Coordinates of all heavy atoms in Angstrom, one line a residue:
T50 N 53.6 82.8 34.7 CA 54.3 84.1 34.5 C 54.6 84.3 33.0 O 54.8 85.5 32.6 CB 55.6 84.2 35.3 OG1 56.6 83.3 34.7 CG2 55.4 83.8 36.7
L51 N 54.6 83.3 32.2 CA 54.8 83.4 30.8 C 53.6 83.4 30.0 O 53.6 83.4 28.7 CB 55.8 82.3 30.3 CG 57.2 82.2 31.0 CD1 57.9 81.0 30.6 CD2 58.0 83.5 30.7
G52 N 52.4 83.3 30.6 CA 51.2 83.1 29.9 C 51.0 81.8 29.3 O 50.2 81.7 28.3
L53 N 51.6 80.8 29.8 CA 51.5 79.4 29.2 C 50.9 78.4 30.2 O 50.9 78.6 31.4 CB 52.9 78.9 28.9 CG 53.7 79.7 27.8 CD1 55.1 79.2 27.7 CD2 53.0 79.5 26.5
P54 N 50.3 77.3 29.7 CA 49.8 76.3 30.6 C 51.0 75.4 31.1 O 52.1 75.5 30.5 CB 48.9 75.5 29.7 CG 49.5 75.7 28.3 CD 50.0 77.1 28.3
D55 N 50.8 74.7 32.1 CA 51.8 73.8 32.7 C 51.8 72.5 31.8 O 50.9 72.2 31.1 CB 51.4 73.4 34.1 CG 52.5 72.6 34.8 OD1 53.7 72.7 34.4 OD2 52.2 71.8 35.7
G56 N 52.9 71.8 31.8 CA 53.0 70.5 31.2 C 53.7 70.4 29.9 O 53.1 70.0 28.9
G57 N 54.9 70.8 29.8 CA 55.7 70.6 28.6 C 55.7 71.8 27.6 O 56.1 71.6 26.5
Y58 N 55.3 73.0 28.0 CA 55.3 74.1 27.1 C 56.4 75.1 27.3 O 56.5 76.1 26.6 CB 53.9 74.8 27.2 CG 52.8 73.9 26.8 CD1 52.1 73.1 27.7 CD2 52.5 73.7 25.4 CE1 51.1 72.2 27.3 CE2 51.5 72.9 25.0 CZ 50.8 72.1 26.0 OH 49.8 71.3 25.6
V59 N 57.2 74.9 28.3 CA 58.4 75.8 28.6 C 59.6 75.0 28.2 O 59.8 73.8 28.6 CB 58.4 76.2 30.1 CG1 59.7 77.0 30.4 CG2 57.2 77.0 30.4
S60 N 60.5 75.6 27.5 CA 61.7 74.9 27.0 C 62.7 74.7 28.1 O 62.7 75.4 29.2 CB 62.4 75.6 25.9 OG 63.0 76.8 26.4
R61 N 63.6 73.8 27.9 CA 64.7 73.6 28.9 C 65.5 74.8 29.1 O 65.9 75.2 30.3 CB 65.6 72.4 28.5 CG 66.7 72.1 29.5 CD 67.3 70.8 29.3 NE 68.0 70.7 28.0 CZ 68.5 69.5 27.5 NH1 68.4 68.4 28.3 NH2 69.1 69.5 26.3
D62 N 65.9 75.5 28.1 CA 66.7 76.7 28.2 C 66.0 77.8 29.0 O 66.6 78.4 29.9 CB 67.0 77.3 26.8 CG 68.1 76.5 26.1 OD1 68.7 75.6 26.7 OD2 68.3 76.7 24.9
I63 N 64.7 78.0 28.8 CA 64.0 79.0 29.5 C 63.8 78.6 31.0 O 64.0 79.4 31.9 CB 62.6 79.2 28.9 CG1 62.8 79.9 27.6 CG2 61.7 80.0 29.8 CD1 61.5 80.0 26.8
A64 N 63.6 77.3 31.3 CA 63.5 76.8 32.6 C 64.8 76.9 33.4 O 64.8 77.3 34.6 CB 63.0 75.4 32.6
L65 N 65.9 76.7 32.7 CA 67.2 76.8 33.3 C 67.5 78.2 33.6 O 68.1 78.5 34.7 CB 68.3 76.2 32.4 CG 68.4 74.7 32.3 CD1 69.2 74.2 31.1 CD2 68.9 74.1 33.6
A66 N 67.2 79.1 32.7 CA 67.5 80.6 33.0 C 66.6 81.1 34.2 O 67.1 81.8 35.0 CB 67.1 81.4 31.7
H67 N 65.4 80.6 34.2 CA 64.5 81.0 35.4 C 65.1 80.4 36.7 O 65.2 81.1 37.7 CB 63.1 80.4 35.1 CG 62.2 80.4 36.3 ND1 61.8 81.6 36.9 CD2 61.7 79.4 37.0 CE1 61.0 81.3 37.9 NE2 60.9 80.0 38.0
A68 N 65.5 79.2 36.7 CA 66.1 78.6 37.8 C 67.4 79.3 38.3 O 67.6 79.5 39.5 CB 66.4 77.1 37.6
Q69 N 68.2 79.7 37.3 CA 69.4 80.4 37.6 C 69.1 81.8 38.3 O 69.9 82.2 39.2 CB 70.2 80.6 36.3 CG 71.7 81.1 36.6 CD 72.5 81.1 35.3 OE1 72.0 81.1 34.2 NE2 73.8 80.9 35.5
D70 N 68.0 82.4 37.9 CA 67.6 83.6 38.5 C 67.3 83.4 40.0 O 67.7 84.2 40.9 CB 66.4 84.2 37.8 CG 66.7 84.9 36.5 OD1 67.9 85.2 36.3 OD2 65.7 85.1 35.7
L71 N 66.6 82.3 40.3 CA 66.3 82.0 41.7 C 67.6 81.6 42.5 O 67.7 82.0 43.7 CB 65.3 80.9 41.8 CG 63.9 81.2 41.1 CD1 62.9 80.2 41.6 CD2 63.4 82.6 41.4
V72 N 68.5 80.9 41.9 CA 69.7 80.6 42.5 C 70.5 81.9 42.9 O 71.0 82.0 44.0 CB 70.6 79.7 41.6 CG1 72.0 79.6 42.2 CG2 70.0 78.3 41.4
A73 N 70.5 82.8 42.0 CA 71.2 84.1 42.3 C 70.4 85.0 43.3 O 71.0 85.9 43.8 CB 71.4 84.8 41.0
A74 N 69.2 84.7 43.5 CA 68.3 85.6 44.3 C 68.5 85.5 45.8 O 68.4 86.5 46.5 CB 66.8 85.3 44.0
T75 N 68.8 84.3 46.3 CA 68.9 84.1 47.8 C 70.1 83.2 48.1 O 70.8 82.7 47.2 CB 67.7 83.4 48.4 OG1 67.8 82.0 48.1 CG2 66.4 84.0 47.7
N76 N 70.4 83.0 49.4 CA 71.4 82.1 49.8 C 71.0 80.7 50.0 O 71.8 79.8 50.4 CB 72.0 82.6 51.1 CG 72.7 84.0 51.0 OD1 73.5 84.2 50.2 ND2 72.4 84.9 51.9
L77 N 69.7 80.4 49.7 CA 69.2 79.1 49.9 C 69.4 78.1 48.8 O 69.6 78.5 47.6 CB 67.7 79.2 50.1 CG 67.2 80.1 51.3 CD1 65.7 80.2 51.3 CD2 67.7 79.6 52.6
P78 N 69.5 76.8 49.1 CA 69.5 75.8 48.1 C 68.2 75.9 47.2 O 67.1 76.2 47.7 CB 69.5 74.5 48.8 CG 69.9 74.8 50.2 CD 69.4 76.2 50.5
V79 N 68.4 75.7 45.9 CA 67.2 75.7 45.0 C 67.1 74.4 44.2 O 68.2 73.9 43.7 CB 67.4 76.9 44.0 CG1 66.2 76.9 43.1 CG2 67.5 78.2 44.7
S80 N 65.9 73.9 44.2 CA 65.7 72.7 43.4 C 64.8 73.0 42.2 O 63.9 73.8 42.3 CB 65.0 71.6 44.3 OG 64.8 70.4 43.6

Side-chain angles (χ1 to χ4, degrees):
T50 70
L51 301 173
L53 295 172
D55 188 27
Y58 296 94
V59 176
S60 72
R61 180 165 62 186
D62 286 347
I63 291 173
L65 285 166
H67 168 64
Q69 190 169 28
D70 284 343
L71 299 195
V72 169
T75 80
N76 294 313
L77 300 178
V79 180
S80 183

